[in-house]
Amino acid sequence: MSTSTAHNPGLSTDTNHFPRSAPSDPTAPHVESATVVVDAASDRGPLTRLWESIGYDEINWTYTATGRTLLNTFGDLSPRPFLIRPHYVFCSGSGFGIPHWGNGNVYHEDADGNPYYDFTIADQTYDAIVEAGHHVLMEIAFTPRDLLPPEADELTVVPSPTVYSNYEAGAWAYPPKDYEKWRGLVAAHVQHCVERYGVAEVREWLFELWNEPDIFYWKGTPEQFCDLYRVTAEAVRSVLPDAKVGGPAVTGGGVEFLRTFLTYTSEHDVPLDFVSFHTKGSAFTPWRVYGPTGAPAPEKQNPSTHKMLYEIRRMQRVVAEFPQYHGLPAIVDECDAGVPAHYSVYDNANFQFQNTEYYPVFQVKLFKKILDLNETETVTVEQATSWSFYFEGERYFEGTRAFLTAGGIEKPLLNAYRMVSRLGGRRLTATSDAMSPVEDLDAGDGRSMAEEVDALASADAAGRVSVLVWRHTDDQYHEDERATPVALRVENLPDGTYSLHHHRIDATHSNAHTVWTEQGSPQNPTAEQLAAVKARQGLEELEPARDVTVSGGTFSATVELPLPSVSLLVLEPR
């Protein structure tokens, strides 16, 4: 077996005391029992629905039949629109999408160098998003071919049947040669959107310049980027004076770039309505393995919740250095357990977690921990975007970071979003005696989050109390044949009769992948096999709904949690 020595794509060279991924430790202790207490009379304020946002590279798959279906699926989860952030709207091309590449093909110049615009692909993209009930997080990027500077010719590639040109290979990352033509492009693009969708709709959008300019996505200097941001913000506001503009969408290691950017916007009074940055929980080494199909990973590696939380908190604290920005929302508009999105179990077997119950439980846990950070830090995260959509041409359960696999089958990850969508509008106090302590985030050895049982609880105006409780560890290889008994108490409830609903994600519930593997992992499944897989893809009940009587203000139950798993218990007044 041979391995690639290339660096993982999409990552900065920043170093901190967290490794690029979490190691596996088969000797780590399990949580043998836990007690979770929810105070139904408490009110910790509005529950920030930071999960209502997704994004992806492949802009041209937005408006395919499958893309539209998936957007509508998210539209059905919540009465509130999601924010949808696709890459590459200004890149030149034919409109043909492939993994990690796409193009909106908007900008063109005639023989005399005069700009003109073609919104055909952009219209299809934004139509699909808006028609599904969502808002656009418009990533204003990247440089069109007709705006490349002369130095873009320096980027050379070896011609081959699998390479298009130096443009697709990364010339699009150079700063545009003419910032005034860029200004015209941005203004025309926003004006067209206002005319097509109306001021009321576009006013809800976010406008963000570029993506991860602290790494290879930007081949200019930080100063050039800051100047381009000013031009971009001015162009957007020239059309829509109250438009929400922001950036700089740096990686989790882009601390100095973020600080430089915020210094520039604050000192030059440049509009800034939100601050964006990214984090990734793992970068497997090597990121691609060349060997026989189905071979194990050279080293067992996993996503690290602590790495992600550390990077988020560090960025929150950079923004907090600027008092005038304390009230701005932080948008973590790529917030993912692994990178890159289009790599799969066939590249590195560690990506298997993206098929299994491990990932949805990880995601629920991550959302809760970010909410906890919001209560301790000056700057608040309002969105934690999953950089996930779907991929054309996959095998069944390819293992990419996506909500669907081949045949439009829903992966377990989507059920995490179904669960959190059922939470109420107010956060309740929930404590666990087996949660991973926040002090571990500052451990000098950069350890990953240990096994824990923790909870997130909410209430709504109708008196419905919802409790998410999970068992998880940052190690997809760590197993336990025993379920952990969790003593759950919901206190200070009004006495009366409640309908109890109990939903579960684990290896045997809400898990199409398990059904498929039990069939022998067929890549040419029969109609009957596909029907059986799809029958188990949605969010399932652990047990039928039943009535319970609350007397003395307390509801008690024992929840048995396998590793990993998450339960959603909902008490609905009758």
Side-chain angles (χ1 to χ4, degrees):
M1 180 184 299
S2 64
T3 59
S4 167
T5 58
H7 294 295
N8 194 297
L11 292 170
S12 76
T13 57
D14 168 74
T15 57
N16 55 57
H17 62 270
F18 284 92
R20 287 290 177 92
S21 56
S24 182
D25 181 5
T27 68
H30 291 298
V31 174
E32 296 185 357
S33 65
T35 298
V36 170
V37 179
V38 177
D39 184 354
S42 64
D43 187 344
R44 294 172 67 169
L47 179 62
T48 302
R49 310 188 81 80
L50 44 79
W51 48 82
E52 293 181 345
S53 178
I54 64 169
Y56 43 92
D57 297 271
E58 299 79 13
I59 188 172
N60 304 105
W61 295 345
T62 306
Y63 46 86
T64 64
T66 302
R68 287 177 174 273
T69 296
L70 185 52
L71 289 171
N72 285 324
T73 297
F74 281 105
D76 293 339
L77 292 184
S78 171
R80 292 162 299 277
F82 274 55
L83 277 174
I84 311 295
R85 176 185 184 254
H87 269 348
Y88 299 121
V89 69
F90 283 172
C91 282
S92 303
S94 66
F96 184 74
I98 59 176
H100 210 282
W101 173 248
N103 42 86
N105 201 42
V106 172
Y107 183 87
H108 308 275
E109 292 184 2
D110 63 20
D112 296 323
N114 299 309
Y116 65 98
Y117 312 110
D118 177 7
F119 297 109
T120 302
I121 295 173
D123 286 350
Q124 293 178 76
T125 301
Y126 298 151
D127 284 357
I129 293 171
V130 173
E131 288 169 7
H134 306 303
H135 297 318
V136 177
L137 198 170
M138 184 189 290
E139 181 192 290
I140 302 175
F142 297 98
T143 300
R145 194 171 185 275
D146 285 348
L147 275 180
L148 291 181
E151 56 266 31
D153 292 337
E154 299 171 4
L155 180 66
T156 59
V157 296
V158 177
S160 83
T162 59
V163 174
Y164 283 71
S165 73
N166 84 324
Y167 181 73
E168 287 84 1
W172 46 262
Y174 284 91
K177 65 184 179 183
D178 188 325
Y179 278 23
E180 288 309 303
K181 286 184 175 180
W182 175 270
R183 182 195 301 272
L185 166 61
V186 173
H189 190 59
V190 176
Q191 180 64 45
H192 178 79
C193 290
V194 168
E195 292 171 357
R196 188 172 184 86
Y197 306 108
V199 169
E201 168 63 27
V202 180
R203 187 178 283 130
E204 300 299 321
W205 297 10
L206 301 185
F207 297 87
E208 174 186 65
L209 176 64
W210 226 256
N211 175 73
E212 298 183 350
D214 58 309
I215 59 170
F216 60 80
Y217 284 96
W218 177 253
K219 296 186 183 298
T221 66
E223 292 73 24
Q224 287 175 305
F225 180 85
C226 290
D227 289 339
L228 188 64
Y229 177 80
R230 175 183 56 80
V231 170
T232 303
E234 290 173 354
V236 173
R237 290 282 187 88
S238 71
V239 176
L240 196 61
D242 56 352
K244 291 172 280 208
V245 295
V250 292
T251 69
V255 172
E256 290 308 316
F257 197 105
L258 176 61
R259 188 174 284 118
T260 297
F261 173 79
L262 296 177
T263 299
Y264 177 90
T265 56
S266 60
E267 291 181 351
H268 294 82
D269 195 27
V270 179
L272 186 67
D273 300 298
F274 63 91
V275 180
S276 57
F277 48 85
H278 300 164
T279 183
K280 307 293 181 179
S282 60
F284 300 140
T285 305
W287 53 265
R288 173 169 282 163
V289 178
Y290 292 91
T293 302
E299 180 183 341
K300 293 180 178 179
Q301 300 172 346
N302 308 277
S304 169
T305 311
H306 276 161
K307 177 181 181 295
M308 299 181 73
L309 295 173
Y310 178 86
E311 291 177 350
I312 291 171
R313 189 183 67 177
R314 186 169 59 168
M315 293 302 190
Q316 287 175 301
R317 291 179 177 180
V318 171
V319 182
E321 295 171 11
F322 300 83
Q324 65 269 51
Y325 295 148
H326 284 185
L328 294 188
I331 309 294
V332 191
D333 52 11
E334 291 187 28
C335 188
D336 303 301
V339 67
H342 62 300
Y343 280 25
S344 76
V345 295
Y346 299 100
D347 296 299
N348 185 314
N350 287 315
F351 285 110
Q352 185 65 254
F353 81 88
Q354 295 179 148
N355 282 329
T356 72
E357 66 278 3
Y358 181 91
Y359 196 9
V361 186
F362 180 99
Q363 202 75 346
V364 170
K365 176 177 73 170
L366 177 66
F367 291 146
K368 189 266 183 181
K369 304 301 183 183
I370 296 174
L371 292 172
D372 288 348
L373 278 184
N374 281 349
E375 295 187 335
T376 61
E377 299 301 313
T378 301
V379 175
T380 298
V381 173
E382 286 197 1
Q383 296 286 334
T385 303
S386 178
W387 197 250
S388 309
F389 199 49
Y390 86 102
F391 290 91
E392 292 280 356
E394 282 198 337
R395 289 160 284 195
Y396 286 96
F397 293 99
E398 186 88 10
T400 53
R401 196 171 69 234
F403 292 105
L404 305 177
T405 186
I409 295 170
E410 297 172 356
K411 295 168 70 173
L413 174 62
L414 188 54
N415 286 319
Y417 286 77
R418 290 192 169 104
M419 274 194 171
V420 294
S421 73
R422 300 188 183 199
L423 294 174
R426 311 294 295 185
R427 186 177 180 185
L428 301 178
T429 297
T431 60
S432 169
D433 64 358
M435 68 172 291
S436 180
V438 294
E439 291 78 14
D440 280 359
L441 184 58
D442 295 309
D445 60 358
R447 69 174 66 102
S448 55
M449 187 173 287
E451 183 175 321
E452 70 159 12
V453 170
D454 201 4
L456 176 63
S458 71
D460 64 17
R464 186 184 297 109
V465 173
S466 302
V467 183
L468 282 166
V469 57
W470 58 86
R471 181 187 177 199
H472 195 268
T473 183
D474 284 357
D475 187 346
Q476 63 180 312
Y477 298 99
H478 203 26
E479 299 178 347
D480 189 1
E481 294 180 355
R482 300 165 299 175
T484 293
V486 179
L488 171 65
R489 294 201 314 274
V490 182
E491 301 177 341
N492 297 315
L493 282 165
D495 287 348
T497 301
Y498 292 79
S499 180
L500 173 64
H501 301 263
H502 188 172
H503 291 86
R504 165 69 63 80
I505 303 172
D506 60 24
T508 58
H509 297 87
S510 312
N511 200 324
H513 177 256
T514 295
V515 180
W516 178 75
T517 56
E518 289 173 346
Q519 295 173 348
S521 305
Q523 287 298 341
N524 186 29
T526 65
E528 292 77 12
Q529 287 176 320
L530 279 178
V533 172
K534 288 192 173 185
R536 303 294 306 281
Q537 69 183 359
L539 184 60
E540 296 180 327
E541 291 184 320
L542 182 67
E543 57 185 356
R546 58 187 173 91
D547 286 347
V548 296
T549 299
V550 172
S551 178
T554 299
F555 165 78
S556 298
T558 298
V559 181
E560 299 281 343
L561 291 179
L563 179 67
S565 62
V566 56
S567 277
L568 170 65
L569 294 95
V570 180
L571 289 164
E572 186 172 0
R574 292 292 301 270

